[in-house]
Amino acid sequence: MSSGPGATSAPAPDPHDSPPASDAPAARPTRKSSMFSSLQVRNYRLFFMGQVVSNIGTWMQRIAQDWLVLSLTGSSAAVGITTALQFLPMLLFGLYGGVLVDRLRKRPTLLVTQSSMALTAIALSVLTLTGHVQVWHVYVAAFAVGLATVVDNPARQSFVSELVGPGRLQNAVSLNSANFQSARMVGPAVAGILITGVGTGYAFLFNGLSFIAPLTGLLLMRARELHVVERAPRGKGQLREGVRYVTGRPELIWPIVLVGFVGTFAFNFPVYLSAFADDVFHAGAGAYSMFNTLMAVGSVAGALLAARRGTARLRLLIVAAMAFGALEIVAATTPTLWMFALLMVPLGLFGMTVNVTTNTSIQMSTDPAMRGRVMALYMMIFLGGSPVGAPIVGWVTDTYGARVGLAAGGAVAALAAAVIGLILARVGNLRLSVGWHGGHPRVRFVPREQQEALAPAA
């Protein structure tokens, strides 16, 4: 199945023919590329530059939204409810969004979804600036953004392959993540200044106006230079077909299950960080913005490292998820604000490694005609778990304290990574191998046959 001129894309191999190995590459690009090779593509440059501006506005709104709710209610649980409402539509309708994305042209779809999110942000800014905002207004705005995200997220994820083709897909996915997290360094800082200086309403206004950049980029793209991907025709049973496609492939289903646990319990940073800034360290909005900014520094580093890698290995996903969970437990015990803040950098790095590795391996192991549905399922599990997790971790944080809430989330992530790593090893017929390489200890999974062949020599 062709993805465009001079680039081919084949369906993922049947796992019954070749079982996946946790230590094997989940996907291999067609050629080795430099860290910024995707930016050589004009259409991708337009997409990337538009997202730079829009992502800054998105992060400003996230910080302003969380702080506004905390200011109006004084409750971490209310912040969790806001997060839940924003991601509830993804949980309820995510798979239907993927079916639509596989049927529709991506660029016109994105023009509609991005415009709707811009209007929502502007409406919230008007309510806030005029002094009429109430917490239920924020809840409604969060839910409206979530509805647009049901289609926008899988459309943006799968549109990347049409912009750059399969040869540069891992590089483009990694650069997108670096773009989003770089904005995380700027957006929270600017949001903190605006919140303390002139109020949250201007952060919402900036976000609404920031959508002008991606909308302009989409309009300026050359349609003839897009890599053509066959769209799925209308038909019955397409949702069930997508679910069967994923559940029949261990290299897809188990990474999705893992990020489900991580996203539901460990990635609820709006709840955790706002509680640490307000209740633990009593440092206010400035500290909350700083925590997010430092986490973004680590996330950018993780994304750029992923852009340099030529493969997306499931082994790396398991190790990164375990490290991420362990770091959350350590952060929960830190006695001072500065120690906690510094741990945000490695937390961001390992969290981004989990995100990019999962995203890339899933996209590159999926038939292009199924990509919208598969990415919708991935995003539904990763983001849609928040409606379940956010109120729970918000309640735990309010009842037992921020330290217990963060430590519990990290423990869930680390345990899930360990269990799923063992499952992938069993499915791939692997065994744990402990040895020395270059004077250093090395722990890895190897095929049972290989280990048995080497055993007599040892």
Side-chain angles (χ1 to χ4, degrees):
M1 190 173 295
S2 176
S3 290
T8 58
S9 181
D14 190 326
H16 299 291
D17 296 333
S18 179
S22 297
D23 198 29
R28 296 183 184 275
T30 57
R31 61 179 179 276
K32 188 176 180 179
S33 59
S34 67
M35 183 180 290
F36 302 103
S37 64
S38 296
L39 293 176
Q40 298 170 12
V41 180
R42 179 184 180 276
N43 282 343
Y44 181 76
R45 281 200 308 274
L46 290 169
F47 180 82
F48 185 88
M49 292 168 62
Q51 291 299 309
V52 167
V53 179
S54 181
N55 286 337
I56 292 174
T58 296
W59 278 112
M60 290 176 64
Q61 174 147 332
R62 285 192 179 188
I63 299 301
Q65 175 180 280
D66 297 337
W67 201 255
L68 177 61
V69 171
L70 195 63
S71 301
L72 291 172
T73 65
S75 170
S76 294
V79 177
I81 291 171
T82 307
T83 303
L85 286 170
Q86 186 159 333
F87 296 120
L88 181 61
M90 179 65 72
L91 181 64
L92 297 177
F93 311 117
L95 286 177
Y96 294 98
V99 171
L100 287 175
V101 167
D102 279 337
R103 293 175 182 173
L104 301 172
R105 289 187 297 157
K106 308 300 186 296
R107 188 164 60 142
T109 301
L110 289 171
L111 286 169
V112 173
T113 58
Q114 298 274 295
S115 297
S116 65
M117 288 190 282
L119 293 174
T120 302
I122 291 173
L124 188 57
S125 75
V126 171
L127 287 169
T128 306
L129 291 172
T130 58
H132 293 95
V133 69
Q134 299 179 35
V135 69
W136 72 267
H137 294 142
V138 186
Y139 289 165
V140 170
F143 188 76
V145 170
L147 284 175
T149 302
V150 167
V151 176
D152 184 79
N153 247 330
R156 278 190 295 108
Q157 298 285 339
S158 55
F159 188 48
V160 172
S161 65
E162 296 188 24
L163 292 170
V164 300
R168 290 188 172 104
L169 182 58
Q170 168 153 341
N171 181 262
V173 169
S174 301
L175 289 181
N176 282 352
S177 299
N179 183 333
F180 187 70
Q181 297 303 328
S182 296
R184 189 176 183 177
M185 292 188 289
V186 179
V190 177
I193 294 171
L194 288 177
I195 291 170
T196 56
V198 294
T200 55
Y202 287 97
F204 300 136
L205 179 61
F206 182 94
N207 182 45
L209 297 177
S210 73
F211 282 97
I212 295 173
L215 291 171
T216 302
L218 288 167
L219 291 171
L220 291 176
M221 287 179 185
R222 296 170 182 163
R224 65 181 181 277
E225 294 179 7
L226 293 174
H227 293 252
V228 178
V229 173
E230 181 181 342
R231 284 182 284 156
R234 290 183 62 88
K236 294 183 179 180
Q238 289 179 322
L239 191 151
R240 291 191 300 273
E241 180 186 9
V243 173
R244 285 196 301 268
Y245 181 87
V246 172
T247 55
R249 289 165 169 76
E251 73 275 19
L252 295 178
I253 185 60
W254 288 114
I256 289 176
V257 170
L258 175 57
V259 299
F261 279 103
V262 174
T264 300
F265 298 103
F267 259 88
N268 277 290
F269 289 111
V271 177
Y272 295 138
L273 299 188
S274 61
F276 267 85
D278 195 45
D279 300 331
V280 177
F281 299 120
H282 310 289
Y288 182 46
S289 296
M290 179 182 67
F291 295 156
N292 279 279
T293 301
L294 289 172
M295 183 171 287
V297 172
S299 298
V300 170
L304 292 177
L305 287 173
R308 290 185 63 88
R309 282 194 295 269
T311 57
R313 294 179 179 272
L314 295 181
R315 176 183 64 180
L316 177 63
L317 171 61
I318 299 300
V319 171
M322 292 182 67
F324 179 75
L327 279 168
E328 284 199 338
I329 297 172
V330 172
T333 65
T334 54
T336 66
L337 183 149
W338 291 108
M339 290 178 64
F340 182 83
L342 289 175
L343 281 172
M344 295 299 102
V345 177
L347 265 173
L349 189 150
F350 284 106
M352 181 52 56
T353 301
V354 171
N355 189 359
V356 172
T357 303
T358 307
N359 190 316
T360 305
S361 65
I362 289 173
Q363 287 213 52
M364 298 183 73
S365 300
T366 302
D367 187 322
M370 300 291 296
R371 193 167 282 146
R373 278 164 284 182
V374 173
M375 294 309 297
L377 179 61
Y378 162 63
M379 298 306 296
M380 184 186 76
I381 299 298
F382 183 47
L383 299 180
S386 293
V388 177
I392 293 173
V393 301
W395 176 81
V396 171
T397 298
D398 279 344
T399 305
Y400 299 103
R403 296 187 184 278
V404 173
L406 182 59
V412 170
L415 180 62
V419 171
I420 290 173
L422 293 174
I423 291 173
L424 285 170
R426 184 177 181 84
V427 170
N429 197 31
L430 303 174
R431 283 183 176 178
L432 184 67
S433 173
V434 181
W436 289 83
H437 179 74
H440 301 283
R442 180 170 67 175
V443 179
R444 58 176 181 156
F445 286 105
V446 298
R448 292 176 184 268
E449 295 82 0
Q450 177 180 335
Q451 190 177 52
E452 291 169 358
L454 294 175

